Amino acid sequence: MIHLEKRPQPSQVWTVITPVLAVILTMIVGGMMFAALGKPPLEAIRTIFWDPLFHPQFAGYSRPQLLVKAGPLILIAIGLSVGFRAGIWNIGAEGQYIMGAICGAGASLALYPSDSILLFPMMVIAGALGGWAWSMIPAILKTKFGTNEILVSLMLVYVAESILASVSSGLLRNPDGMGFPGSRNFQQWDAAANKELIANTGMHWGVVFALIAVIAAYVLFARHIRGFQIRLSGEAPRAARFAGVNPNRIVIFCLGTAGALAGLAGLFEVTGPAGQISIDFNSGYGFTAIIVAFLGRLHPVGILLAGLLMALTYIGGELAQLMLGVPGASIQLFQGMLLFFLLATDVFTNYRIRFGQGAA
Amino acid sequence: MADPLLRLTGLTKAYPGVIANDDVNFDIGENEIHALLGENGAGKSTLVKMIYGLVKPDRGSMVLQGQDYTPSEPSEARQRGVGMVFQHFSLFDALNVAENVALGMENPPKTRELAERIRTVSEEYGLPLDPSRIVGTLSAGERQRVEIIRCLLQDPKLLIMDEPTSVLTPQEVDILFQTLNKLRAEGTSILYISHKLEEIRTLCDTATILRLGKKVATCTPKDTSARELAEMMVGASFATPEARQTTLGEVALKVANLSLPAPGAFGTPLRDVSLSVQRGEVLGIGGVAGNGQDELLAALSGERLSPAGSIELLGTDVSRQGPMARRDAGLLSGPEERLGHAAAPNMSLTENGVLTAARREGLLKNGFIDWAAAKDFTEKVISTFDVRTPSANTAARALSGGNLQKYVIGREIMQRPEVLVVNQPTWGVDAAAAAAIRQAILDLAANGAAIVVISQDLDELMEISDRFAALNEGRLTDAVPVAGLTIDTIGLMMGGAQDMEVAHA
């Protein structure tokens, strides 16, 4: 018989090993999946993990994409991790991301064609506020009426998607767009564009904010009493109340932070890589960021690395679809495996395996 | 007497560090309501769990109706005719009564047939219950009926009831007693666990008293006074305490007519609680568990806010202030539950030091934690209170109960409180550590702090308190000086018996 035995203390070694082990297991089982699909497994794995960075022909295009994709993922995941640490499960970052984009873009489009240098900072603030306000809906419902934030925040994603569909073909539609849905293109409007800061690196303002968020979150959790209170609320809610932590304030703070960061990510995406508000500019970053947050062990530095890894599988996945013709769903499956194996191996951080008959 | 229904011989069960039951012998006769009486931790639960097949005895044997009885799981116990109604119900709120009953049966009959049987049985025993009601809409008393009927449908020979009246209104208690009497008349024996002495005297034919895992006596409660029962529960080792030399200062903590509703389904409301503690004084609060101890601590620590004007600390009204503000003002506390309440299990001792000492010990600078200072503070607690731990970085859950208790009590004492409120400060702690904790509390009082000790250990309360009060169903008795207090008075104060006045005379 195999027994799981609780460790007296969480294992430091396993905390570091589990993400690596999860990636390796994903490669093995993912390879088996590609083999079953009739694709060469080793080549598929190499196409996903290696070619985007080092392929002589494609790397020039795909390498900058790494930061472009990782930026929003990291920014959103950092916000989510703040809540997850406190046991507040905001699943609706996608909605907050969309609403941030709509608010930021809408605020600037109202002033078109302003070329003030204050325009972009104002958009950034409007984007953060949009995401924040959207996250306040589950926060206030939870604190006032005890609703479940998982359900409310998730449902609000669909509301946000409907609003996005509505404004992109209505309120924010480009008046010079000959009736096509979608807003003006921000890349053609210098004052409102989120430009690439260093040519051919993919570095844009969203990546800068993501790095700032990583550092801020690190300081928050390592040094600040608020970070301590958040961790305490997640670890032992009764002890947190005993310490004098107001649970409602933690809910408001955590959901608000996540919403504001997701809103920022949306704003930077819509004014940068996506270029315009359109019905499908969002590409699911808000959901993928949940995986990134857990893959990164809810630790800021871990999230930074996990965001880069996840971005790599995105780009590599597209490349694999293009080069090997694997179906798009198999790439999602592949990313799902990563989370699955991470959670499975995570058990070993707190438990060890004992073989043989354990004492009853 | 005829052959007993169930005979227990030499039942022994030890857990690491504690012997829950030590060589317990007694018989439960046919047609008998048998009380099992004892303080918290006396071993009542372990004993009935062995009878119901939830726990395997280390030694000893049981004979049921003349045949060996060694149930390895509850379903076996049920097959042999032993049923049990737990103190906390295991019912699904969203299902109706019949569905809940069916879930607890080995081979449930068809729903319609079952509903019919439930109706018949419930009428027969005077426990009105509609099988189609959703359990979520039932009162605590009605939920208990569901549990009782679930047992009765299996025609038990022996029904075990764990503190059944703790959740009932007085009217519901009357109905329950009628039912139990009827059951006895029809040949079902009942093992009735309680620590309410008056109840046992009215209802039970025989009582077995446990203390510290050992059987003290078996007696006939009708012929025994509540006083004698209390004495047996608490033990003969009880020494009448003497007055200690204390110099009393101003009143540091004053609670006036504090009432708070119960925090949840199984909580106890606080009813009109008043107390006052002076500097230099230790007020001991006794009482059986679940009579409002946790609720009183939460109200004093600030975890639950109280109506304005009900709690005064050093002359200032703190009723509407949370734990942080009260700590700043000098009121510190230590809850009963070490892991998860007083300390976060997965966090290190240093982090757990920050938990309560962050502001008083100046561990914060502009909201940033000074981890070096926090570690110094923690190490000071560890060395002063002899906490055995590899380091200050060890997770709280890795410490033994006694060591963690020394840490959480030490953490509060090292912050030099003006007022300290602790609940069960030495619960589950070995004798040496317990003595150290008690001494630290006394030293603190001698230095001019006012102290409230809530405890279920009477010996402890008599040793360290200057005055004693008891909690009973959320009511606090007047505090009386410990010096010269007799076991009779204490038993009556704790039991909430009617003849208090006689005892005082």
Side-chain angles (χ1 to χ4, degrees):
Chain A
M1 285 291 287
I2 303 173
H3 289 273
L4 282 178
E5 185 184 275
K6 189 153 188 169
R7 296 176 194 271
Q9 292 218 65
S11 161
Q12 294 289 326
V13 178
W14 275 97
T15 315
V16 179
I17 288 179
T18 47
V20 179
L21 191 64
V23 170
I24 293 171
L25 284 169
T26 308
M27 285 186 180
I28 294 171
V29 180
M32 285 158 63
M33 175 184 73
F34 290 126
L37 287 168
K39 310 289 174 194
L42 283 178
E43 204 183 326
I45 299 294
R46 200 200 64 214
T47 311
I48 293 174
F49 286 104
W50 184 262
D51 285 356
L53 299 179
F54 304 108
H55 193 280
Q57 194 183 341
F58 302 114
Y61 163 77
S62 57
R63 213 178 292 152
Q65 283 294 310
L66 190 66
L67 287 183
V68 168
K69 301 247 191 246
L73 285 177
I74 294 169
L75 198 52
I76 301 171
I78 290 283
L80 290 177
S81 72
V82 173
F84 292 168
R85 285 271 190 114
I88 295 164
W89 307 105
N90 174 10
I91 305 299
E94 181 78 4
Q96 294 141 21
Y97 165 83
I98 292 172
M99 293 311 283
I102 292 176
C103 289
S108 69
L109 288 170
L111 300 174
Y112 184 81
S114 159
D115 57 359
S116 162
I117 54 158
L118 293 176
L119 186 68
F120 193 66
M122 181 212 64
M123 293 167 70
V124 170
I125 293 167
L129 279 178
W132 175 82
W134 204 244
S135 72
M136 279 302 105
I137 300 174
I140 290 169
L141 288 176
K142 184 178 175 72
T143 52
K144 293 279 175 217
F145 303 109
T147 56
N148 183 321
E149 76 280 10
I150 301 176
L151 293 174
V152 177
S153 63
L154 180 60
M155 294 305 184
L156 284 171
V157 173
Y158 304 111
V159 178
E161 281 177 349
S162 298
I163 294 176
L164 174 65
S166 160
V167 297
S168 59
S169 57
L171 194 62
L172 299 183
R173 191 177 61 185
N174 184 358
D176 307 329
M178 295 180 292
F180 283 104
S183 72
R184 289 182 193 280
N185 194 316
F186 291 94
Q187 289 293 2
Q188 293 157 11
W189 178 12
D190 273 349
N194 172 21
K195 296 259 184 242
E196 200 173 23
L197 297 172
I198 305 167
N200 296 325
T201 55
M203 184 81 175
H204 62 71
W205 280 111
V207 180
V208 175
F209 271 74
L211 293 176
I212 294 172
V214 167
I215 294 165
Y218 184 84
V219 173
L220 175 76
F221 284 120
R223 305 284 310 220
H224 200 271
I225 186 74
R226 176 52 64 92
F228 176 77
Q229 291 174 341
I230 289 170
R231 282 195 294 137
L232 188 59
S233 303
E235 291 275 354
R238 273 190 89 195
R241 238 167 295 141
F242 172 62
V245 180
N246 181 337
N248 287 346
R249 275 202 212 152
I250 297 289
V251 169
I252 301 269
F253 178 85
C254 290
L255 278 166
T257 307
L261 292 186
L264 280 177
L267 180 272
F268 291 127
E269 184 68 16
V270 84
T271 53
Q276 62 174 160
I277 292 278
S278 65
I279 220 163
D280 54 358
F281 87 91
N282 46 318
S283 53
Y285 284 144
F287 288 119
T288 312
I290 299 170
I291 306 183
V292 171
F294 279 106
L295 194 61
R297 331 263 12 189
L298 305 182
H299 188 283
V301 176
I303 288 171
L304 179 69
L305 298 174
L308 291 169
L309 178 70
M310 211 63 200
L312 188 63
T313 64
Y314 257 101
I315 303 160
E318 277 169 20
L319 211 55
Q321 287 178 52
L322 194 75
M323 311 254 300
L324 304 172
V326 299
S330 69
I331 300 300
Q332 287 174 7
L333 209 59
F334 192 75
Q335 290 168 342
M337 274 180 205
L338 196 55
L339 182 65
F340 172 82
F341 282 118
L342 184 80
L343 294 177
T345 50
D346 203 26
V347 172
F348 299 113
T349 314
N350 274 310
Y351 292 86
R352 69 178 117 226
I353 287 192
R354 279 285 148 97
F355 295 97
Q357 198 70 43
Chain B
M1 200 164 99
D3 271 352
L5 174 69
L6 177 68
R7 166 163 285 173
L8 310 178
T9 319
L11 275 189
T12 301
K13 175 75 196 176
Y15 290 109
V18 49
I19 297 176
N21 285 136
D22 188 1
D23 194 26
V24 175
N25 307 294
F26 67 92
D27 294 347
I28 300 171
E30 304 265 7
N31 302 359
E32 177 182 79
I33 302 185
H34 193 114
L36 189 57
L37 193 60
E39 287 192 298
N40 251 65
K44 294 172 299 190
S45 315
T46 308
L47 188 65
V48 294
K49 279 181 185 162
M50 289 194 282
I51 300 175
Y52 194 54
L54 283 166
V55 169
K56 228 175 138 170
D58 296 339
R59 272 200 309 281
S61 63
M62 295 184 273
V63 177
L64 184 71
Q65 293 181 298
Q67 287 177 333
D68 261 3
Y69 174 64
T70 50
S72 56
E73 53 180 19
S75 66
E76 204 178 326
R78 286 199 292 267
Q79 270 168 24
R80 295 285 298 269
V82 176
M84 179 157 176
V85 176
F86 289 91
Q87 192 179 2
H88 295 246
F89 311 133
S90 45
L91 298 173
F92 292 93
D93 281 355
L95 300 182
N96 71 24
V97 170
E99 287 162 340
N100 264 294
V101 170
L103 279 174
M105 296 176 81
E106 306 297 326
N107 299 306
K110 288 207 176 65
T111 314
R112 184 187 300 249
E113 196 182 317
L114 182 64
E116 200 45 53
R117 279 179 63 194
I118 291 174
R119 205 166 274 129
T120 324
V121 172
S122 71
E123 276 162 22
E124 193 180 332
Y125 291 99
L127 296 171
L129 197 61
D130 178 355
S132 59
R133 282 272 297 278
I134 299 293
V135 163
T137 66
L138 300 181
S139 73
E142 289 172 313
R143 284 169 198 233
Q144 188 179 56
R145 283 180 206 163
V146 181
E147 295 268 7
I148 295 175
I149 285 169
R150 178 146 78 184
C151 289
L152 293 185
L153 285 175
Q154 326 239 6
D155 288 322
K157 290 307 295 168
L158 175 67
L159 183 61
I160 305 171
M161 304 203 72
D162 191 0
E163 305 204 8
T165 56
S166 58
V167 293
L168 300 185
T169 64
Q171 292 74 17
E172 288 173 328
V173 170
D174 284 345
I175 297 174
L176 176 69
F177 282 9
Q178 284 167 22
T179 307
L180 295 183
N181 278 319
K182 183 148 195 206
L183 278 172
R184 167 176 52 185
E186 288 174 4
T188 304
S189 294
I190 292 151
L191 182 59
Y192 187 92
I193 302 168
S194 181
H195 37 237
K196 295 188 182 163
L197 305 177
E198 288 306 324
E199 230 175 76
I200 284 168
R201 294 192 58 222
T202 1
L203 182 71
C204 301
D205 305 302
T206 323
T208 293
I209 296 145
L210 291 181
R211 174 167 158 83
L212 299 175
K214 289 190 177 135
K215 186 182 98 166
V216 179
T218 296
C219 63
T220 311
K222 289 193 176 68
D223 305 337
T224 316
S225 70
R227 233 170 271 189
E228 286 169 297
L229 286 174
E231 257 181 64
M232 285 191 272
M233 243 167 89
V234 176
S237 67
F238 184 83
T240 306
E242 287 167 25
R244 271 187 304 115
Q245 288 290 325
T246 44
T247 34
L248 298 184
E250 53 176 329
V251 172
L253 177 70
K254 190 164 188 241
V255 177
N257 308 105
L258 168 65
S259 293
L260 273 181
F266 294 108
T268 310
L270 292 179
R271 305 174 215 250
D272 201 27
V273 170
S274 296
L275 62 87
S276 83
V277 203
Q278 287 168 270
R279 285 183 174 281
E281 184 185 36
V282 179
L283 172 67
I285 295 182
V288 173
N291 273 297
Q293 284 89 340
D294 289 348
E295 290 80 2
L296 181 61
L297 183 108
L300 292 179
S301 71
E303 280 172 79
R304 285 184 79 200
L305 301 181
S306 306
S310 49
I311 301 176
E312 220 173 75
L313 175 66
L314 301 165
T316 317
D317 182 11
V318 295
S319 316
R320 306 299 302 161
Q321 295 182 351
M324 283 189 196
R326 292 194 198 185
R327 270 188 204 113
D328 291 349
L331 170 60
L332 305 188
S333 54
E336 169 180 4
E337 190 69 39
R338 293 182 280 262
L339 280 176
H341 196 182
N346 291 329
M347 287 186 156
S348 73
L349 292 182
T350 306
E351 288 171 305
N352 273 298
V354 174
L355 188 91
T356 67
R359 286 166 37 152
R360 268 186 94 75
E361 290 297 309
L363 307 179
L364 289 184
K365 293 195 175 70
N366 300 323
F368 288 90
I369 300 168
D370 183 346
W371 284 113
K375 189 153 182 270
D376 284 350
F377 170 73
T378 305
E379 279 169 353
K380 220 162 63 183
V381 175
I382 290 173
S383 64
T384 312
F385 286 84
D386 187 30
V387 180
R388 308 282 163 80
T389 169
S391 81
N393 292 324
T394 307
R397 75 163 194 243
L399 265 65
S400 74
N403 275 309
L404 186 56
Q405 187 69 22
K406 283 196 280 189
Y407 179 72
V408 296
I409 296 282
R411 177 182 70 187
E412 306 305 325
I413 290 179
M414 291 295 279
Q415 297 179 53
R416 302 168 311 280
E418 311 289 339
V419 177
L420 179 67
V421 183
V422 287
N423 187 6
Q424 297 275 65
T426 61
W427 180 73
V429 168
D430 66 83
I437 289 171
R438 284 179 200 140
Q439 192 54 50
I441 291 172
L442 289 175
D443 292 346
L444 189 66
N447 287 325
I451 294 170
V452 178
V453 177
I454 306 170
S455 174
Q456 281 150 53
D457 182 343
L458 276 180
D459 292 333
E460 165 172 290
L461 288 177
M462 291 308 123
E463 183 188 327
I464 64 176
S465 330
D466 300 299
R467 286 186 302 142
F468 174 83
L471 266 174
N472 191 322
E473 294 180 355
R475 287 189 191 83
L476 188 68
T477 63
D478 289 339
V480 295
V482 163
L485 203 56
T486 62
I487 191 69
D488 298 14
T489 326
I490 293 172
L492 289 167
M493 285 170 85
M494 281 174 52
Q498 304 307 315
D499 44 351
M500 271 291 291
E501 276 61 46
V502 183
H504 272 305

